Amino acid sequence: MGAAVLQKQFEAVLQWQVRPSPETVRTGVPEVDAATGGLPRGCLTEIFGPASSGRTSLLVSILAAATVREEVCALVDAEDSFDPASAAAAGVCLERLLWIRCGHNAEHALKAADLLIQGGGFGLVTMDLGDTPPRMARRISLTSWFRLRRAVEHTPTVLIAVARQSNAKTCASLMLECARKRVVWTGGTPLLRGIDVRVSRRKPVREVTAGFKAAALE
Amino acid sequence: MFASLHGRGNLRALAFEFSPVVEQAAPDTVTFDAAGLERLFGPVQEIAAAVLRRAGQTGVKANLALAANPDAALCAARGFAGVSVLPQGDEAKFLGSLPLGLLAPSPELQETLERWGIRRLQDLAALPPLGIAERLGPEGLHLRQLARGEVERKLVALEEPLHFSDELEMEYPVELLEPLAFVLARLLGGLTTRLATRGLATDELRLRLQLETRAFHERTLRLPAPSLDQRAFLKLLQLDLAAHPPAAPVLHVRLEANPVKPRAAQSGLFVPLAPEPVKLELTLARIQAMVGKEKVGSPELVDTHRPGAFKKETDAFFRATARSEKRPPPSKKGGCLGTRLALRVFRPPRTARVSIASGRPSFVAADGVRGRVLELAGPWRTSGDWWTLDPWERDEWDIALSDGALYRIYCAPPGWFVEGSYD
């Protein structure tokens, strides 16, 4: 009798709670969206790869898609390497983008990203550590990444970190690795036409690969 | 119900905090309409306590009287020290002991009444109205009504000046910002309360500090949207003073707020997410304190072909975030134009050592960049601003190096540089 009452009272509480899957947004690259299902809100997404692997092109596409949705975006630029002209050419609405130049200081970049997330209201916060040397990026403690993950949790903000190697480890909900397949040169007088990029999803574990072309400015 | 204050201090400001209808009978006396305050504070005694509490906070020292008509309240405030609450219908009895001079009769009338031996309000109140009317005319009759506390009239309302400022003299020079923050919090509290009672907000705060050296330290804080967030204002002022500290200890603080109508924004279900303006201002101030003011903002392209030309705009970003109405979908500018190859810029450009073979770069070495040129495109010759004092010209190359990356290099006086990498 007592067990039945207890079961009735606590059954709902003790049941295995399935977390609802987060809302996702488009990256602006249909091939990547089809393969990964988009970028999850309230989660940390990590994009990594070596230099000239198409990470920044993917990031700029994500920014363009977010500003088209009229979201307010922030780019925390650890190495002061963002090129507004490239971004404008890719369709980023620059007036909806807050650009924070951290002057080669990854610690400032982390703090700035944390403040932006705590402030709230941003649709997309990106942290660009793409040119930060890997040994410097690895110095960022896992606690800091956990703090960022906790801060962005339960918010509608998409948090993206771009680096040469994966740093956030278990804190990232989605990991995309970029690699350059080939460089496209055309014309009698050679002309850089663009690059072919392969994007591999490293987390969640089931590996999915997508490819896209990043066209050079004409 | 009317309340009257008689004493020293900023009586007008105090009265306006409780009522929009205020009459100033004399520089040291104000009367205000207290009708409806019982709904906010409760019984009359509670209203009196609230007024006295606020008077204490704002440094006002005054007698307070509450009565059913303004003139009875005014007489009581002038005649009795402290707080007086006149029961309705018993005004004549309450005011009776006060001297006749409080009613400020004309000199002739006062002389006549003195000759009659009438020196207190109760003496005048006891006289028959018909006899007064026959001997002293309408003025005498009005004076008798005042003495009995029976005059019913409307207040001659003051136009409240839309000027919100407060100041405080220090007892000793303040050297540290932390104690100064307490003073600022107190001034901000008063200003925001006064603004709130008028249904206003502020979009600009002007701080003026008088220093021990007799110099002035002035700071102006402009907000992207009107607000009344006292804590945010205080934090913004603290951050601003930390970035621009006064050169000497502070003797006097004056804080002024620009009154504006509050921001009314109806948010909708489908309106895109945007940061709350004052919170955003605070976040940006914190980030600016960390990385520098010039390093935070929205990039804006400049109308020139000069490579890497842009400027930073914080105001444009605030305008963009404040815009809530739905705009038509972007067509050419601001839309997705397919994935473009982005450039990562090296700031400043890295000086490079370039080996030339057959008129083309064959080997490039710079800080963090070193390799044999595998493929290249160029040179692309560009120039501009030759009509100004700062002309530029350069030959650009896109190169693929053996280190696996794609770079843009250029040759311009005084040599070779790596501008950035394609990524």
Side-chain angles (χ1 to χ4, degrees), chain B residues 67-386:
Chain B
N69 65 69
D71 290 305
L74 196 139
C75 285
R78 281 180 170 164
F80 300 113
V83 181
S84 318
V85 179
L86 278 68
Q88 193 167 5
D90 278 349
E91 287 90 352
K93 200 171 152 190
F94 200 94
L95 298 172
S97 60
L98 295 175
L100 196 63
L102 271 182
L103 300 180
S106 62
E108 299 83 29
L109 197 58
Q110 185 153 13
E111 193 185 336
T112 309
L113 290 170
E114 271 182 15
R115 270 190 284 144
W116 290 356
I118 292 169
R119 292 189 176 82
R120 302 207 166 268
L121 297 190
Q122 61 198 10
D123 304 336
L124 183 60
L127 293 177
L130 204 59
I132 292 275
E134 280 175 358
R135 289 167 179 81
L136 301 177
E139 193 192 347
L141 205 56
H142 178 69
L143 211 63
R144 180 183 174 274
Q145 281 180 318
L146 283 176
R148 293 176 67 88
E150 286 174 350
V151 177
E152 293 289 343
R153 67 173 178 92
K154 286 195 167 126
L155 292 178
V156 183
L158 276 175
E159 271 291 313
E160 188 190 7
L162 292 178
H163 186 72
F164 294 86
S165 70
D166 230 334
E167 50 196 311
L168 205 69
E169 189 86 37
M170 304 292 176
E171 287 178 9
Y172 54 89
V174 175
E175 292 178 17
L176 300 172
L177 290 180
E178 201 177 329
L180 193 62
F182 284 98
V183 176
L184 292 175
R186 186 174 163 187
L187 294 179
L188 279 170
L191 282 177
T192 50
T193 310
R194 278 163 54 197
L195 284 164
T197 50
R198 296 288 292 172
L200 294 169
T202 184
D203 64 349
E204 189 176 294
L205 287 168
R206 290 181 287 275
L207 177 69
R208 186 183 161 100
L209 304 174
Q210 192 185 349
L211 309 180
E212 208 177 28
T213 54
R214 294 184 180 275
F216 289 99
H217 183 76
E218 292 184 8
R219 301 296 307 161
T220 303
L221 200 70
R222 285 189 185 85
L223 302 163
S227 172
L228 275 176
D229 190 340
Q230 189 189 332
R231 288 178 64 185
F233 292 162
L234 180 62
K235 194 69 202 168
L236 284 169
L237 282 174
Q238 276 182 288
L239 286 167
D240 188 68
L241 284 174
H244 308 92
V250 178
L251 284 176
H252 185 269
V253 183
R254 181 187 164 85
L255 190 62
E256 202 175 331
N258 185 38
V260 288
K261 284 191 173 174
R263 177 170 173 258
Q266 173 84 48
S267 69
L269 277 175
F270 305 106
V271 174
L273 194 67
E276 202 267 308
V278 176
K279 220 170 173 184
L280 177 64
E281 176 78 27
L282 189 54
T283 306
L284 293 192
R286 284 180 167 141
I287 295 173
Q288 283 168 350
M290 187 169 60
V291 299
K293 194 170 184 183
E294 71 290 347
K295 301 221 169 172
V296 180
S298 198
E300 191 183 322
L301 296 179
V302 184
D303 188 15
T304 172
H305 290 288
R306 183 187 286 270
F310 68 89
K311 61 179 181 179
K312 283 242 179 163
E313 279 281 345
T314 317
D315 293 344
F317 180 69
F318 277 115
R319 278 198 304 275
T321 54
R323 199 182 296 142
S324 59
E325 74 271 17
K326 196 80 184 162
R327 288 183 299 174
S331 51
K332 198 171 176 187
K333 272 195 169 180
C336 271
L337 306 173
T339 312
R340 295 284 184 180
L341 184 59
L343 182 72
R344 296 184 72 87
V345 182
F346 298 149
R347 290 193 180 90
R350 295 179 188 175
T351 311
R353 212 159 30 79
V354 177
S355 306
I356 305 288
S358 313
R360 294 171 162 212
S362 62
F363 187 88
V364 177
D367 180 24
V369 178
R370 186 180 179 84
R372 201 159 35 82
V373 178
L374 302 178
E375 283 183 277
L376 56 80
W380 317 115
R381 177 157 292 176
T382 52
S383 64
D385 292 344
W386 44 265

Side-chain angles (χ1 to χ4, degrees), chain A residues 52 56-57 82 94 99 180 215, chain B residues 297-298 341 347 406 422-423:
Chain A
S52 301
T56 313
S57 302
F82 177 68
L94 292 178
W99 179 24
R180 193 182 73 222
Chain B
S298 198
L341 184 59
R347 290 193 180 90
L406 292 169
Y422 289 104
D423 187 24

